[in-house]
Amino acid sequence: MNDKFVVKGLNGKKTLSGKIRVNGAKNAVLKLMASTILFEDKVELLDIPEIEDVKRMLEILEDLGVKIERKEKGHFVIDTSKAKETVLNREISEMMRASIVLTGPILSRFGEVTFPIPGGCVIGARAIDFFIDGFKKMGASVNFDKGAYIIKAKGKKLRGAEIFLKTPSVTATETFIMAGVLANGKTVIKNSALEPEIKNLADYLISCGAKIKGAGTSRIEITGGNLLKSKGKKYKAMPDRVETGSFLVLGALCADNLEITNCNPDDVEILLEILKDSGVLLEVKKNSILIKNNGKIKNKEFKSVNIKTKEYPGFPTDLQAPMVVFLTQASGEALVFETIFEGRLNYTEDLKRMGADILMLDPHRVLVKGPAVLRGRKVESPDLRAGLAFIIAGILAKGESIIDNVYLIDRGYENIEERLRKIGVDIERFS
Ligand code: EPZ
């Protein structure tokens, strides 16, 4: 489980080339999988990345009595018709924040749910107060006993409520959409998150009978009804915008020619604007992005840009770490302000050991000065996104880098080493 990657750096040469395909979006498919609890018939899911988090979600579902059939790679059929269990597997849920989205559909369908405080990447406090408060508003009682929350809907049925999120939380928005689908009456989520994965979830649920209005805006209205029916309608995963963005940074820094395929450029518009402003030449097509003849442009010709992470459509916190790697190479000084998670800049210590000029101002802000020559080092990824950023830094660097704790990278990126090798990266996995 504790694999390592060994990456041989290109020492600043831009030699990568070819095509890299973006996989289905982790943060969309995990929610779709949870939503299958709302269905009376089977749900077929396509283009599902077989990453560790997906495997864990499948295990939790199986533990709840859900039947899962893997038809072929990335193609699953999920049948929740026999599910009755309402207690989330503790060990797995504690490993993964996304497990919390199951509470919405389980509570909505069965009238009760028991779950531990969810874990996940160590990037900040990651509270769950919005969930607890929202369920109370929907008429549920909340008890905490032996490290688990026990939530029960009055009369086994949630009732619609108005829920105002103090911060537009992605998982809370998704959870209350799903809770509202089988609740009595109307649920309104105010100050809801706008991330494209939310609309993607809502669109599929709507196509199967759910009454949801406003997904993708800051006010979502759900009118409760009966169990949903897929009637054979398949869900195909949307492309992962974090992979898209990370590959863009990799391409800009290390590739001569790179085509990023199966992506949705609109979902990474802010990154495209920023990279273009800093001098990266990009050709944006409908479902692909091209980086062409980039080999002659020296990274130091790229201009630094200040970054402030924000909810969608602002700069995604999940792309903050790859962007910092980009900024270590661009000319000038950039202020990076991580507004969402207070622990999400800690990885910059390791980048500094690789030679980056980064000054931490406080847990939310760093100053990055470029260009700096990076040297291969042994680093350990604290979360999956920083893990991929280390891989990018390793590819760019002079010498060899060892990236420890690869499990975290495997949580979100399927077979990343094989996909990178295809475009010319020298990367090996060691167990
Ligand atoms: C989702 O996390 C993603 N995870 C994260 O992806 C992503 O970084 C994040 O949204 C922001 O885009 C999944 O979709 C599974 P939040 P989530 O609730 O929903 C505060 C990745 O690498 N908050 O939107 O957990 C919270 O502390 C990851 O794939 C409360 O205060 O994030 C944070 O400051 C990591 N109380 C802010 O809201 C609550 O009850 C936004 O968090 C809930 C959240």
Side-chain angles (χ1 to χ4, degrees):
M1 196 138 145
N2 253 334
D3 292 0
K4 293 180 199 331
F5 280 142
V6 175
V7 180
K8 294 223 168 70
L10 297 172
N11 192 12
K13 293 194 193 74
K14 296 182 168 185
T15 55
L16 304 184
S17 76
K19 287 187 188 185
I20 191 157
R21 182 186 185 274
V22 173
N23 281 345
K26 169 179 92 83
N27 285 344
V29 306
L30 292 173
K31 321 312 170 44
L32 253 299
M33 291 164 77
S35 80
T36 58
I37 302 276
L38 301 170
F39 285 75
E40 69 172 48
D41 57 354
K42 298 176 184 170
V43 180
E44 256 185 274
L45 307 174
L46 301 176
D47 213 7
I48 302 303
E50 295 197 8
I51 50 179
E52 292 303 320
D53 274 14
V54 163
K55 292 178 195 163
R56 295 300 86 75
M57 185 59 103
L58 290 171
E59 285 165 13
I60 301 183
L61 286 170
E62 274 186 322
D63 200 64
L64 294 170
V66 173
K67 257 187 67 194
I68 289 158
E69 185 195 346
R70 181 183 186 267
K71 286 215 149 178
E72 52 187 82
K73 194 175 164 340
H75 181 175
F76 293 87
V77 182
I78 303 188
D79 178 359
T80 61
S81 59
K82 301 264 163 21
K84 283 196 186 69
E85 184 58 58
T86 58
V87 181
L88 288 192
N89 181 300
R90 181 162 198 153
E91 202 183 327
I92 311 174
S93 307
E94 281 176 349
M95 285 166 74
M96 186 170 75
R97 168 83 176 179
S99 62
I100 195 149
V101 295
L102 279 160
T103 59
I106 294 177
L107 188 57
S108 187
R109 179 164 182 173
F110 301 113
E112 59 180 80
V113 66
T114 301
F115 65 99
I117 297 169
C121 292
V122 198
I123 52 180
R126 312 197 80 186
I128 58 164
D129 51 324
F130 300 170
F131 297 82
I132 303 298
D133 293 350
F135 288 143
K136 283 184 187 159
K137 288 218 169 104
M138 295 181 88
S141 65
V142 177
N143 282 298
F144 188 74
D145 187 32
K146 299 190 189 82
Y149 285 96
I150 303 143
I151 311 219
K152 291 188 177 161
K154 201 168 175 196
K156 293 243 159 200
K157 193 85 178 156
L158 287 176
R159 57 160 197 264
E162 289 210 354
I163 298 169
F164 186 94
L165 301 178
K166 284 175 244 125
T167 306
S169 156
V170 177
T171 42
T173 303
E174 292 161 335
T175 301
F176 292 121
I177 288 179
M178 293 191 269
V181 165
L182 303 179
N184 275 335
K186 199 197 272 181
T187 301
V188 181
I189 313 170
K190 294 178 183 170
N191 198 27
S192 46
L194 314 179
E195 269 65 6
E197 291 77 15
I198 296 169
K199 182 159 189 313
N200 187 250
L201 166 71
D203 284 347
Y204 182 72
L205 299 183
I206 291 167
S207 76
C208 299
K211 294 190 189 74
I212 305 166
K213 280 197 269 183
T217 74
S218 58
R219 188 180 194 280
I220 303 177
E221 250 184 60
I222 308 109
T223 306
N226 298 325
L227 285 172
L228 305 179
K229 292 189 193 110
S230 83
K231 296 186 189 151
K233 194 171 289 138
K234 299 185 175 86
Y235 166 82
K236 185 173 181 301
M238 63 182 277
D240 196 307
R241 61 196 166 96
V242 186
E243 263 198 11
T244 307
S246 307
F247 294 158
L248 271 169
V249 168
L250 173 68
L253 295 178
C254 307
D256 183 21
N257 293 293
L258 187 68
E259 185 176 358
I260 299 161
T261 64
N262 186 47
C263 63
N264 185 2
D266 286 346
D267 290 345
V268 287
E269 195 171 354
I270 188 149
L271 179 67
L272 290 171
E273 287 301 313
I274 287 174
L275 290 179
K276 280 187 207 156
D277 278 356
S278 50
V280 179
L281 299 176
L282 300 164
E283 195 179 320
V284 179
K285 298 190 173 171
K286 195 162 172 272
N287 299 110
S288 64
I289 305 168
L290 277 168
I291 296 179
K292 277 202 309 201
N293 303 321
N294 183 44
K296 286 184 213 73
I297 305 173
K298 300 261 182 292
N299 287 342
K300 66 170 191 264
E301 291 165 28
F302 295 145
K303 265 197 335 264
S304 251
V305 194
N306 291 340
I307 300 292
K308 181 173 167 185
T309 66
K310 246 191 130 297
E311 295 82 15
Y312 188 84
F315 196 90
T317 168
D318 290 345
L319 282 174
Q320 177 258 104
M323 192 62 203
V324 166
V325 176
F326 179 84
L327 294 171
T328 65
Q329 302 307 300
S331 277
E333 197 172 83
L335 178 71
V336 177
F337 187 2
E338 166 59 57
T339 69
I340 319 262
F341 296 113
E342 67 282 8
R344 224 179 190 178
L345 285 167
N346 294 341
Y347 71 92
T348 54
E349 278 306 313
D350 270 337
L351 278 185
K352 271 162 74 175
R353 289 199 306 106
M354 293 180 79
D357 185 346
I358 300 175
L359 177 68
M360 182 158 311
L361 303 174
D362 60 55
H364 281 283
R365 294 176 310 146
V366 290
L367 210 52
V368 187
K369 273 191 211 155
V373 176
L374 300 188
R375 284 174 301 275
R377 286 279 183 270
K378 187 171 172 172
V379 293
E380 186 168 330
S381 51
D383 75 79
L384 65 150
R385 309 304 182 191
L388 188 57
F390 283 152
I391 296 183
I392 300 174
I395 297 171
L396 184 76
K398 181 174 180 190
E400 191 177 273
S401 292
I402 299 170
I403 296 143
D404 245 335
N405 216 356
V406 164
Y407 175 77
L408 284 179
I409 299 175
D410 293 336
R411 283 186 58 177
Y413 303 98
E414 188 184 356
N415 223 339
I416 190 73
E417 69 274 30
E418 205 174 296
R419 293 157 72 203
L420 291 175
R421 273 201 289 270
K422 286 203 181 119
I423 58 167
V425 176
D426 188 338
I427 177 169
E428 290 289 338
R429 178 189 289 259
F430 292 92
S431 291

